[in-house]
Amino acid sequence: MVIAVDGPAASGKGTLARKLAAHYGFAYLDTGSLYRAVGHAVTSAGHDPADEMAALAAARNLDLSKIDERAIRTAEAGAAASIVAAMPPVRAAILDLQRNFAHNPPNGLRGAVLDGRDIGTVVCPDAKAKLFVTARPEIRARRRWLELNNSGSGITEAQVLEDIRERDRRDAERAASPMKPADDAHLLDTSDLSIEAAFGAAVAIIDKALG
Ligand code: DC
């Protein structure tokens, strides 16, 4: 049983997906963290994130249990992630890992929630329920800025908005698995919703889809 939660950066999909996994007793995989880990591995080894050989080697060596949560949450790791995520060989190297998690969730759990950009379209096109979570760019920039500011980053809100627009463009326009809602995805705009209200709306959609 797979629930796919896709959407752009800081749309609220991560928070939502985590809450859904807890609610249904499913495993949770943040697939953006995989691309972030690859981007971070490449840049911290001194390579350019556009270096495809270095990115592919990092993707092949990716170990879910070794991801450094703190290091991958910076704006730099996010920017590097969106560059390596546009490389088809990198996406292919990470595909099996994601599908394996979806179809054999850890700890014997009977389902999985995956969040990302292409879960409903490419990774798990047969997911039982698909959500595409969005919010206006200004709202997403505010949320991401508050998050980054809490961890002591000196970045301005205007810079975050610019990064978000740039990342949306790169994620949506790339040829390999671009970010787009699956034909059978339910759209959920969280711009004017509290976390609780978004969660309630998502559960209503998913309960119906799961029957
Ligand atoms: O959701 P996030 O900001 O952590 O994602 C980081 C980058 O990874 C983002 O620019 C798009 C990319 N990504 C992707 O291409 N496919 C996914 N399934 C998840 C993330």
Side-chain angles (χ1 to χ4, degrees), residues 93-126:
I94 293 179
L95 188 59
D96 279 351
L97 194 157
Q98 297 172 81
R99 285 193 175 147
N100 189 39
F101 186 98
H103 298 128
N104 308 292
N107 307 322
L109 295 172
R110 59 190 189 92
V113 182
L114 276 73
D115 82 33
R117 300 291 189 290
D118 63 338
I119 308 304
T121 51
V122 174
V123 179
C124 300
D126 51 0

Side-chain angles (χ1 to χ4, degrees), residues 6-10 13 30-36 72-73 77-86 91 98 115-119 123 144 167-168 170-171 174 176-179:
D6 289 304
K13 66 181 188 310
D30 164 9
T31 65
S33 75
L34 308 178
Y35 294 96
R36 284 172 176 269
I72 65 167
R73 294 297 152 200
S82 101
I83 294 170
V84 301
R91 303 198 71 85
Q98 297 172 81
D115 82 33
R117 300 291 189 290
D118 63 338
I119 308 304
V123 179
R144 185 49 56 87
R167 219 129 75 74
D168 281 357
R170 222 183 278 140
D171 293 345
R174 67 174 180 233
S177 306
M179 168 175 72

Side-chain angles (χ1 to χ4, degrees), residues 66-87:
K66 296 218 173 86
I67 294 180
D68 178 348
E69 267 303 315
R70 249 178 91 84
I72 65 167
R73 294 297 152 200
T74 62
E76 294 74 32
S82 101
I83 294 170
V84 301
M87 300 170 180

Side-chain angles (χ1 to χ4, degrees), residues 18 66 70 82 84 156 163 180 199-200:
R18 209 170 268 118
K66 296 218 173 86
R70 249 178 91 84
S82 101
V84 301
T156 66
D163 284 356
K180 65 164 187 232
F199 175 67

